[in-house]
Amino acid sequence: MPEQTPAQRAVGDIAPKLAQLTDDVLFADVWERPELSKRDRSLITVASLVTSGSTEQLVGHLARAKQNGLTETELVEALTHLAFYAGWPKAMSALQVAKRVFAE
């Protein structure tokens, strides 16, 4: 294995750590809140994925959101509001994914 640079040694293997932190802090917290309905939990998860630009993960989460009672109309409204925060390209990409999921 090649010798690590000083930056690599300082940072370490941070990607798995960040992924675990995201799971522990964001998603686990959302899914453990008893005052939130399954629909609301799904919407929060989808919103966070849209703002981070993680469209590849949206298919499964949107399918679950649909199963949990989120309607296409509600999702379009949420994506429209998110566009101002996440940016139009991310919101429009998510909308395209959502159209495929809700068409199934």
Side-chain angles (χ1 to χ4, degrees):
M1 188 161 102
E3 188 173 327
Q4 291 183 325
T5 67
Q8 290 170 326
R9 283 192 302 274
V11 173
D13 192 4
I14 196 69
K17 293 174 188 170
L18 286 175
Q20 186 63 49
L21 181 64
T22 300
D23 286 342
D24 292 345
V25 173
L26 175 62
F27 295 117
D29 181 54
V30 167
W31 285 100
E32 291 174 3
R33 291 184 185 182
E35 71 273 12
L36 294 175
S37 68
K38 285 184 177 183
R39 179 195 152 282
D40 291 344
R41 292 174 186 171
S42 287
L43 183 57
I44 292 167
T45 302
V46 166
S48 68
L49 291 172
V50 170
T51 57
S52 69
S54 301
T55 53
E56 66 280 353
Q57 295 176 332
L58 276 176
V59 174
H61 287 285
L62 282 170
R64 177 170 288 175
K66 182 180 172 184
Q67 291 172 351
N68 288 338
L70 185 68
T71 68
E72 187 173 6
T73 301
E74 291 171 320
L75 181 63
V76 168
E77 184 177 327
L79 290 175
T80 301
H81 289 286
L82 278 174
F84 294 100
Y85 302 98
W88 285 100
K90 288 178 184 176
M92 292 305 106
S93 293
L95 186 58
Q96 294 307 310
V97 173
K99 284 183 180 183
R100 289 194 307 265
V101 169
F102 278 87
E104 295 174 355

